Amino acid sequence: MQQLRIHGARRVFLVPGESYLPCIDALNEHKGAIEPIVCRQESGAAYMAEAMGKLTGEPGICFVTRGPGATNASIGVHTAFQDSTPMILFIGQVGNDFYEREAFQEIDYRRMFGQMAKWVAQIDRTERIPEYIARAFSVATSGRPGPVVLALPEDTLWGTAEVADLPRYTRTYSHPGADDMRRMAALLEAAERPFMIVGGTGWTREAMGHVEDFAVRFQVPVGTAWRRLECFDQRSPNAAGHVGWAMTPELRQRLRDADVILAVGTRLGEATTEGYTVIESPMPRQKLIHVYPDASELGRVFAPTQAIVADVASFASALAPLSPREPLQRKAWVESARAEYLASLEPLPSKGPLSLDMAAAIAAKQLPPDACITVGAGNYALYPHRYRQYTGPGTSLVPTVGSMGYGLPAAISAKLEDPDRTVVCYAGDGCFQMNLQELGVALQYRVGVVVLVFNNGIWGTIRSHQEREFPGRNIALSFTNPDFTALVRSYGGHGEVVERTEDFSAALARACAFADREKLPALIELRYDADGIAPGETLSGIRDAAYARQQAATPSN
């Protein structure tokens, strides 16, 4: 615990376990410096730590017990790995005197986490604790950030040693060379239809400002990579929308028509490229300038025209002195991209008395510009993705890995980090129930988050796929829900049901006011027609289209 304090840890998320009791006891020595947050289940604790890593750029810290605790927490580690989030998971472990006997709850964590963490190790000697923890912080934050897992055998924790502290870790940065920047500028100046995609981690307000100024000078529209909505201020005249699954047809075509794509901080994964079709692998149709902090990622999936090894902050700083050598003629390209994006913010028509499109648009205008929106996974997530204009770091917490149950723990973590910021969690009825027990954390620590539960009684995303592949044969995808409003009231919170569009604005205002005033959770249960599965899309429409495809594929007699 002393080493964590030296390296700047201010908060640890944990589910207590006897396997690391000395660590819990040591928190007594660091009251006021390290805040312990006692969670209800290890996946919730790991999600909270991952969210803190996203928000701060420093490793989020999580402690869990061995065996079941570690397996529960693994979802947070997987999220941190695919989302490139700095995080350190500490796991209590059986003592070395029992190791390799399949002792109670024993697991080899090197094998278990080997492919979902940057580094997995076990501290077998007490005197090496400072060394391992210093390395863990450095590994978690260097290059492409990610999770580190450290196992703590009981004999190590109960041992004693006299050893010097190590200094606080220093983050390393990768800076682009002057030749890199000159070549990149030349490629962009020669382009007719360039497009920039920003994503990844490590963004700051300053870095975003440099990128926006550069985009204005070089007349380049900017899109945010899949679920990296906070990486660019979407109020900017150069903001062109959210790139990835469910993007608008206009944005999809614009990417295909682009002759140069400048990708900064993003891996250009499956979701962002819509299955490697909008930007093809291994050889993109467009000239690709790929900027990424990890050299091993460059050229791994795409053959770039130019690869630049740099973290986003350093690259953004290097953009500041660049200007076009001659006047550019791309103003219409930028303005048309902006116009298409602004048009997409207008609510699409939807059936039923409660329009999720309208509700999402109302929330987008009613919530403060700096509000933090957290989302788990499901088709409901497409509503805040589409209709909210995100303004910068900390305004969106979303798992790019698409893991369910993330929204509520992330919202709690965000509110703990910044108690004055409005934090709203969007959650499907299935997604919410994966970690709803963390309402206990909101109650215990007086965390005033607002939760919007999208209640349609089905696993919506899977149902849409089921109708697409097996139309009219729905089975095993529906469930009966509890009274969510009664549930949140049992945790001391505020709850109400909204079933009509015209009732949503006032309900949201009441929920935000309660959460702010009482510092307890507030929940709005949105009950709506399950046929409206996504913006501009219905289950019945998906089913009819599938029937038509089947009929067209059936040979006529």
Side-chain angles (χ1 to χ4, degrees):
M1 288 301 168
Q2 174 68 23
Q3 304 314 305
L4 292 182
R5 184 173 177 177
I6 287 171
H7 292 291
R10 296 176 287 105
R11 187 174 298 119
V12 298
F13 302 93
L14 68 150
V15 175
E18 71 277 10
S19 63
Y20 67 95
L21 271 176
C23 295
I24 298 173
D25 177 74
L27 285 165
N28 283 291
E29 312 304 317
H30 303 283
K31 291 179 179 178
I34 299 177
E35 179 186 21
I37 303 298
V38 180
C39 302
R40 303 305 185 260
Q41 210 259 14
E42 290 86 1
S43 64
Y47 276 147
M48 290 184 203
E50 193 277 346
M52 187 173 178
K54 271 195 176 85
L55 287 167
T56 66
E58 303 291 334
I61 307 298
C62 182
F63 276 80
V64 298
T65 197
R66 63 194 179 217
T71 53
N72 284 339
S74 64
I75 190 170
V77 176
H78 187 210
T79 300
F81 186 78
Q82 286 222 337
D83 284 42
S84 304
T85 305
M87 172 184 172
I88 304 175
L89 175 68
F90 292 93
I91 306 171
Q93 174 64 300
V94 301
N96 282 291
D97 50 344
F98 290 171
Y99 197 59
E100 293 285 2
R101 293 179 178 174
E102 196 183 340
F104 182 59
Q105 299 179 335
E106 179 185 345
I107 294 178
D108 183 340
Y109 298 111
R110 293 184 181 92
R111 294 172 61 192
M112 175 179 170
F113 288 101
Q115 288 190 312
M116 68 172 89
K118 290 187 69 177
W119 179 46
V120 186
Q122 182 165 300
I123 310 179
D124 288 328
R125 298 179 64 87
T126 305
E127 65 269 22
R128 296 190 68 182
I129 287 175
E131 171 195 346
Y132 274 79
I133 292 182
R135 180 177 171 185
F137 274 83
S138 294
V139 171
T141 57
S142 64
R144 174 187 173 184
V148 167
V149 177
L150 289 180
L152 308 172
E154 288 190 20
D155 53 321
T156 298
L157 296 183
W158 286 93
T160 59
E162 185 173 336
V163 58
D165 292 328
L166 291 179
R168 179 170 177 166
Y169 84 102
T170 302
R171 184 191 301 270
T172 57
Y173 295 92
S174 49
H175 300 267
D179 289 343
D180 291 327
M181 303 307 290
R182 281 192 290 268
R183 184 185 174 198
M184 179 206 69
L187 285 168
L188 287 175
E189 287 184 63
E192 295 181 6
R193 300 175 304 280
F195 195 95
M196 186 188 305
I197 304 175
V198 296
T201 55
W203 290 94
T204 63
R205 290 280 177 188
E206 182 182 13
M208 283 175 48
H210 286 317
V211 168
E212 181 176 357
D213 292 344
F214 172 83
V216 170
R217 292 194 304 274
F218 277 78
Q219 296 179 357
V220 181
V222 181
T224 56
W226 168 251
R227 295 192 148 204
R228 294 297 194 182
L229 297 140
E230 74 283 2
C231 294
F232 193 74
D233 190 333
Q234 288 154 23
R235 299 169 298 181
S236 165
N238 287 63
H242 183 203
V243 177
W245 286 328
M247 73 177 108
T248 64
E250 294 81 7
L251 180 54
R252 183 180 298 109
Q253 189 59 49
R254 186 168 293 276
L255 287 164
R256 286 174 171 158
D257 290 342
D259 53 0
V260 173
I261 288 181
L262 172 58
V264 182
T266 172
R267 292 188 298 115
L268 295 176
E270 177 190 357
T272 299
T273 62
E274 289 194 333
Y276 309 104
T277 59
V278 177
I279 302 173
E280 295 178 359
S281 172
M283 181 58 69
R285 295 187 306 276
Q286 311 91 335
K287 291 181 180 178
L288 174 62
I289 306 169
H290 200 174
V291 183
Y292 202 74
D294 187 348
S296 65
E297 184 65 33
L298 297 170
R300 184 170 72 91
V301 180
F302 302 94
T305 303
Q306 182 185 8
I308 301 175
V309 181
D311 61 81
V312 295
S314 299
F315 177 78
S317 295
L319 293 174
L322 297 180
S323 293
R325 292 169 295 181
E326 297 179 1
L328 300 172
Q329 306 299 322
R330 298 194 293 245
K331 185 177 180 181
W333 170 251
V334 174
E335 289 179 344
S336 61
R338 179 64 178 171
E340 290 168 357
Y341 168 60
L342 292 177
S344 75
L345 299 178
E346 292 298 316
L348 294 170
S350 56
K351 62 193 303 184
L354 175 58
S355 165
L356 296 187
D357 298 85
M358 285 295 298
I362 290 168
K365 294 178 181 178
Q366 194 165 317
L367 296 172
D370 69 340
C372 178
I373 307 300
T374 73
V375 183
N379 272 11
Y380 73 89
L382 298 175
Y383 292 95
H385 288 354
R386 180 178 182 120
Y387 294 115
R388 173 78 174 172
Q389 288 185 287
Y390 297 86
T391 61
T395 59
S396 174
L397 280 176
V398 190
T400 67
V401 72
S403 52
M404 299 181 74
Y406 180 88
L408 178 61
I412 292 170
S413 188
K415 194 69 173 177
L416 287 167
E417 184 62 22
D418 190 349
D420 295 328
R421 171 177 276 182
T422 298
V423 179
V424 179
C425 164
Y426 284 68
D429 44 1
C431 187
F432 179 62
Q433 291 182 85
M434 289 194 175
N435 267 316
L436 64 80
Q437 73 281 348
E438 301 307 330
L439 285 173
V441 178
L443 169 63
Q444 180 175 350
Y445 297 95
R446 307 288 296 199
V447 179
V449 297
V450 175
V451 183
L452 305 181
V453 177
F454 290 67
N455 183 357
N456 62 3
I458 59 174
W459 296 105
T461 302
I462 313 307
R463 175 68 181 276
S464 65
H465 288 297
Q466 190 178 58
E467 292 287 8
R468 188 174 291 112
E469 303 299 332
F470 303 100
R473 293 175 57 81
N474 63 86
I475 190 171
L477 294 183
S478 62
F479 44 79
T480 301
N481 284 319
D483 182 343
F484 291 113
T485 61
L487 182 67
V488 74
R489 284 194 289 270
S490 74
Y491 284 95
H494 166 84
E496 56 184 292
V497 173
V498 170
E499 297 181 291
R500 301 186 307 166
T501 304
E502 55 266 34
D503 297 332
F504 176 70
S505 178
L508 179 61
R510 286 191 294 270
C512 289
F514 175 90
D516 184 56
R517 181 182 66 252
E518 303 296 334
K519 295 181 172 39
L520 286 168
L523 182 149
I524 299 175
E525 181 182 334
L526 301 171
R527 295 179 183 170
Y528 61 100
D529 188 339
D531 193 42
I533 197 64
E537 199 168 20
T538 62
L539 287 174
S540 54
I542 294 171
R543 182 168 55 249
D544 291 344
Y547 280 140
R549 287 194 303 272
Q550 287 182 351
Q551 187 173 8
T554 302
S556 57
N557 294 328

